[in-house]
Amino acid sequence: MKIDFGGMFFHAPGSNIPSEKLMKDMSIPDTYFVRQYPYHFKDNLRFSDDDAVLESLKEYKRLGGGTVVEVSTVGLQRDVERCAKLGEKSGLNVIMGTGYYVNSMQKEQTRKFTVESMQTFMSDELLNGFHGFEGKYYPGIVGEMGVTDPIADWEVNHLRAAGGLHEVEGIKNVPITIHPGRAPESPFEIMRILTEAGARPERVIIGHMDRTIHKYDDLVKLADEWKCYIQYDLFGVETSHYQMANCFYPSDGERLNRLKHLMDNGFEDKLLIGHDIHTKHRLEKYGGHGYAHILRVVKDDALKTVGMSEEQWNKLGVINPQKILQF
Ligand SMILES: CCC(=O)NCCS(=O)(=O)O
């Protein structure tokens, strides 16, 4: 598999990525570098191989999967019709989101949107259907709302717009899912901004917890202080090196340890898990874990190694998603 060495996509703080010349000179297969530095290769970020996606979705369905939540928002080239077609072909429910991704991925025009205009855009899509698909396809979640560190002024505004949706008739309980900044303080800052704007904290999901809060006491503090959902959604990414910040990705085993710690502290009803599949290298065709990895591998470890009960596992995979996704 030859990878386009077309240069950096994301600014990767602190990654000591070898030079492209050095990579080309090495006889090491591309897959090694893609696994360690997935955001360094534009081809890996062109999530356009629908055959590979469909193959993976069908495997997820075969192993018992029922629903996929697809949270590409404005700034992430969301494609409503493509997702609808993949849902039809795979036999899976697909829930898509309305909202806005991180500041750095937005057009200059979008960065000029006001709180009011962004709230109107999202409430209009939720109540009337996706723009361009009115009456046909409707969002089932707000987000992922993208936030960076330090938080951009425009991101504060889009969070305020999202929080205000919980005061709009008909969507007062819509779930709001967050892509937080990578600092441990980010989820706490986001919850303050959202709730000050009217959000119901128990209807908020803090995603990507895998790479955000690593101290067990801080995990419990977030869950206890804010009663939000905590989501480990990077299962299957098993590299310690994390290209986007100076911290380690936890292994799947450590993700389970953190989930079990939160369960042992009384938060088993507020936990969610997933795969966040947004690069080619996460798909089986390209050597990745795919959409079925949690069902295929992680479930056994959760029950046999970490000691979750079947009831606790069922909450992670069925009950908790059902509760947060119904509104
Ligand atoms: C594009 C999807 C996304 O933002 N995923 C999160 C990646 S990371 O911030 O957890 O590295």
Side-chain angles (χ1 to χ4, degrees), residues 6 14 20 58 70 85 92 110 115 139-140 143-145 147 156 172 188 224 232 251 266 271 275-276 298 304:
E20 289 180 17
K58 286 180 176 177
E70 148 60 15
K85 284 178 181 168
L92 293 164
T110 306
V115 172
E144 65 176 350
M145 303 301 283
V147 178
V156 174
K172 290 185 174 181
F188 295 89
D224 189 44
Y232 283 85
S251 65
L271 301 175
H275 286 303
D276 189 17
V298 176
K304 296 174 183 171

Side-chain angles (χ1 to χ4, degrees), residues 147-149 180-192 206 212-215 218 221-222 226:
V147 178
T148 43
D149 289 310
R182 296 178 175 98
E185 301 77 21
S186 179
F188 295 89
E189 179 182 40
I190 290 164
M191 289 307 296
R192 279 192 295 276
I206 300 290
T212 308
I213 295 181
H214 301 280
K215 291 181 180 173
D218 290 346
K221 183 168 184 271
L222 177 67
W226 289 105

Side-chain angles (χ1 to χ4, degrees), residues 39 76 101 144 179 182 208 211 234 242 244 249 276 278:
Y39 301 111
L76 264 180
Y101 191 53
E144 65 176 350
H179 164 114
R182 296 178 175 98
H208 312 328
R211 52 68 166 168
L234 292 154
Y242 177 44
M244 305 305 284
Y249 262 137
D276 189 17
H278 60 286

Side-chain angles (χ1 to χ4, degrees), residues 8 29-30 85 90 105 113 118 150 174-175 181-182 211 281 325:
M8 188 77 71
D30 299 337
K85 284 178 181 168
S90 63
M105 298 287 276
F113 288 0
M118 290 190 280
V174 64
R182 296 178 175 98
R211 52 68 166 168
H281 89 296
L325 292 171

